[in-house]
Amino acid sequence: MLEHVPGWLGRALAGMRAGADKLAIASIALGDGGTSIALSSPAFANGGRLPPRFTADGDGVSPPLVWGGPPPGTVRMVLLVEDADAPTPQPLVHAVVWGIAPEAGRLAEGAIMRDGDGGADGRDVGRNSLFREGWLPPDPPTGHGEHRYVFQLFALSDGAGDPGQTPRRGEVVAAMTGHVLAAGLLVGTYSRGEKATVAPAGRAAVA
């Protein structure tokens, strides 16, 4: 989609970015005693460049993710992936996954697919910014600079609301507000029309 934006327009929009302060993880308080979850990927390092395979320039599949055990009292987990540098008023939503089992510990490569296309593991895949279920591959405008794709993992206590089937980001945030026990953070970057180096995969920083 955005690969067709001409480079001159991408450069002109370089100063227009949603901002990290509008990410879900910035607006949801962990509350007293909130802890961190170690979130990482075997495919890229925290702050490193996403391999093209996971973007609109490649196969467009979701990357593999692994994480440490959530705190006691966790009844489900939620993953949100947002582009903090989209040239839009709010971050673009690239994935919503609701109802991940606390013991799961991972999402395999390509696991974020439309309901019915993936494994029968009880989780629900919500709608991205194109109103579609599944993974929205990173697709930054040429010349717009580096984009940060922020993977946010939340551990929820009992009492979180029901966001409904195929929920959108706002419905999920509303349902889990006040019930977040812990959170993890992983950032992958991607850009078009610029020189870029690929960092080795490794452990990620946590929220």
Side-chain angles (χ1 to χ4, degrees):
M1 182 179 67
L2 295 181
E3 72 272 18
H4 301 301
V5 172
W8 66 265
L9 181 54
R11 290 186 289 273
L13 295 173
M16 182 182 295
R17 293 172 183 266
D21 60 318
K22 296 179 182 177
L23 295 168
I25 202 166
S27 63
I28 298 177
L30 295 182
D32 295 337
T35 59
S36 297
I37 302 170
L39 176 62
S40 63
S41 174
F44 63 95
N46 184 49
R49 185 173 172 85
L50 287 166
R53 171 172 174 74
F54 306 116
T55 75
D57 293 329
D59 295 330
V61 297
S62 61
L65 300 171
V66 295
W67 55 85
T74 299
V75 298
R76 71 188 62 141
M77 303 184 75
V78 174
L79 177 72
L80 294 175
V81 185
E82 298 178 281
D83 178 1
D85 296 298
T88 51
Q90 299 292 327
L92 283 183
V93 178
H94 286 262
V96 175
V97 186
W98 171 268
I100 302 170
E103 66 275 12
R106 64 189 291 271
L107 283 178
E109 179 177 310
I112 306 176
M113 297 184 290
R114 294 178 304 171
D115 288 339
D117 289 346
D121 53 8
R123 56 187 164 82
D124 187 23
V125 178
R127 298 186 183 275
N128 55 46
S129 283
L130 293 187
F131 307 102
R132 300 171 184 164
E133 288 183 275
W135 172 249
L136 176 61
D139 187 20
T142 300
H144 193 252
E146 185 176 84
H147 281 220
R148 294 165 293 171
Y149 297 91
V150 186
F151 296 75
Q152 305 153 84
L153 183 69
F154 302 93
L156 305 186
S157 64
D158 195 15
D162 181 2
Q165 292 187 330
T166 62
R168 298 194 62 196
R169 184 251 199 208
E171 295 163 334
V172 167
V173 169
M176 67 181 183
T177 296
H179 300 280
V180 177
L181 298 174
L185 184 72
L186 173 65
V187 179
T189 66
Y190 199 68
S191 60
R192 282 199 178 104
E194 300 177 20
K195 293 181 179 179
T197 58
V198 177
R203 296 293 295 175
V206 296

